[in-house]
Amino acid sequence: MKHIRILTGLVSASAVLSIAHAHTPRDDLDNNVPSPPKAEAISLVRVPLPPVAPSDEKGSCSLDVNPRGTGCVAKHNNLHSGHFLPDNQHFVAIANFTGAPAAPDPASIYQGQHVLVFKADDSTFANGDNWKCITCGLPAENSKGRTLFVDYPQAFQDGKRLFVGDNIIECEEDLVSEACTPKNTYMRPIRWNTSVDGKGPGGAMRELRLHPDNVHLGWSAFTMANGEFGQFSYYGRLAWNPDPVEGEPLVPRYDVEKVYRLFSADPYQNERVIVHPDDPTQLLIQSEVPTVGELRGFGGTGKEVTYVGAAVESSNIDVFATDLTTGVTRRLTSHPEYCDPVDISPNDEWHVVMDTRGTDRQMFLSGLRGIPPLTDIITSSVTSATRNNGQRRFFQPWIIDKHGDRGTYFGQQVNAQGDGVPGGGDFNDPVWNGRADPRWSWDGTKIVYTQIMPYAPACGDPNPLPCYPSTEDGGRIERIIIAHLTGREPLPTYQVEEAADEVPWGELYVPGETQPQRMSPPPGQYVLQGKHSGYAHVTLGGEGDKINFVEVIYYSFSDDGENVLKGTESVTVESPELTLSHVDWYSNLTQTGPWNGTKLTSADGFQLRIDVMVNLFDANGTMTTTVDGKEYYQPANGQ
Ligand SMILES: *[C@@H]1O[C@H](CO)[C@@H](O)[C@H](O)[C@H]1NC(C)=O
Ligand SMILES: *[C@@H]1O[C@H](CO)[C@@H](O)[C@H](O)[C@H]1NC(C)=O
Ligand SMILES: *[C@@H]1O[C@H](CO)[C@@H](O)[C@H](O)[C@H]1NC(C)=O
Ligand SMILES: *[C@@H]1O[C@H](CO)[C@@H](O)[C@H](O)[C@H]1NC(C)=O
Ligand SMILES: *[C@@H]1O[C@H](CO)[C@@H](O)[C@H](O)[C@H]1NC(C)=O
């Protein structure tokens, strides 16, 4: 285990031990990892939602439709649930109101995208609704400089503030009290200073997540370098600036200070595949370094940051958690299917994920376990883009204990209740798919999540998946479910320690600096040694430092002494446009052992064109993965 040396100074000795265990495919046999938990009791409840308006026409949301005059939503209104409030009795969500009458009708304020607080039980607010719109009717002078970008609703622990998109909402009173009204509620923009002179609107932040210490935040930002599309993630500190003197908008705002990029230019600390530091003819796979792609959030106690990371096993996209201080990294999921939304429980003991596991969507690519992530040097954007069919996601919510997938344990599906008939509308109807982010209550006894049905062209002719009619009230195609983990005791309320500003394994961000580059090994011929036996011959082709061809020939390659891999795989990738990729892929792999199977492309190979912003499958040829005799096929074109 030569590469542990590379991590010296970055991780503690105990971390090195747990890293060593992570290499064995049979963690369940390891004394340090407990046996998987037994399935637990889960009770599911639909949350009543604002009534559906008959149309988008002004005034269609009449008092007949909503007698309380508190607004209506469309069947499809971009509904998203988010955090619970600290009382665990409410949660925050986003919905797009429609059909409101014209001003000065008091109901005119229920129009457009807004932030709502819902009751998490069957009680109501004083007016009889089980929800309250926090931003409807907000005076313009209370929301100067706010952006219209509103997603991932999150809650501060003071019960008075919310975090949505790149805005912070603050009420002078408890959000859920009758005393909190639009008059004493404010919406403040967040600004990330990215210019040398401090001028301008600041950097475009996406996927913002509040740290549980309520002082720090994390986010991602796209990069474009060398004609390639990429992104880095960042971590910083919120600083209230009531009277800014530079930068837009010049309004009371939150500035982000002490920004760290969750990446360092040293490939030994950040890259999955590197050239061996002692032997330039060899490659090394670093299974345990932080490889922060898109940021997902933070652990319950705030020690870790979560993110979608570089594959550890070929074509298998997972979520990871890295300790902000030590850099110690754990893989939260390892099932071959695709995962991206994740929320770690407040005590760090569990995570809930949205995952395509169980749908077999990705198995044709990723079903064969333990293949080194070499083609992934160039295929990761393609292999993650195949997870969706346009707007249709194949996500379902799963809970997994902190030790992760192991042996035959792949977590417990949260919504495994109902007859599972497509279009039947039960909790486990596969046509209803999960949205980001599922969230734990702060006492760990509940999870709230949102689902949506596919709509054309992700269903309906020519797509072979029919568009099923909604079975929900008003024909809505979105719903919010609360899962009660009825066997769990509520966790005590606890104070999250304020996290450090510094991220020792990242680097301080300096406004105006040029973006660093992610580094893959340069073109050339390499050997990858099996950790147990055998080797692979690897050819990386391309121009300059840019790799566009990977060929791997496995010679009885084995990392664990149990699974032995033989055969070849080669891939060429072209990017005719920034977000569009075309791959030409040949696989002929055979593995023996507990993870036995094959990965085979048709004689003329498998060609796939996919735009990572659209995610429509368009292929020629076939790629088929067979695991223990079970065959997995690619989706049909357009699906
Ligand atoms: C909200 O719905 C209206 C139609 O009523 C639509 O024009 C608008 O784009 C939607 N906004 C968002 C953010 O979804
Ligand atoms: C932005 O950063 C520049 C360069 O460090 C600095 O001069 C400027 O004062 C900063 N402005 C703000 C508003 O943080
Ligand atoms: C796959 O490789 C095996 C072993 O080299 C070979 O016998 C077989 O013909 C190959 N199959 C294809 C489809 O190329
Ligand atoms: C193939 O894998 C399955 C599942 O791990 C195992 O039960 C079976 O014994 C394996 N077959 C061989 C020939 O190794
Ligand atoms: C599939 O083949 C057709 C006909 O040669 C070609 O036009 C198309 O671009 C190919 N698609 C891909 C994804 O390579």
Side-chain angles (χ1 to χ4, degrees), residues 547-560:
I547 307 293
N548 60 15
F549 172 76
V550 176
E551 182 190 63
V552 194
I553 308 173
Y554 292 100
Y555 297 95
S556 299
F557 180 95
S558 183
D559 272 344
D560 59 17

Side-chain angles (χ1 to χ4, degrees), residues 191 193 195-196 198 246 253 511:
R191 181 177 186 274
N193 185 29
S195 58
V196 183
E246 60 178 358
R253 68 187 188 210

Side-chain angles (χ1 to χ4, degrees), residues 562-563 591-597 627-629:
E562 295 180 60
N563 292 288
Q591 185 159 263
T592 54
W595 284 342
N596 54 81
V627 181
D628 189 23

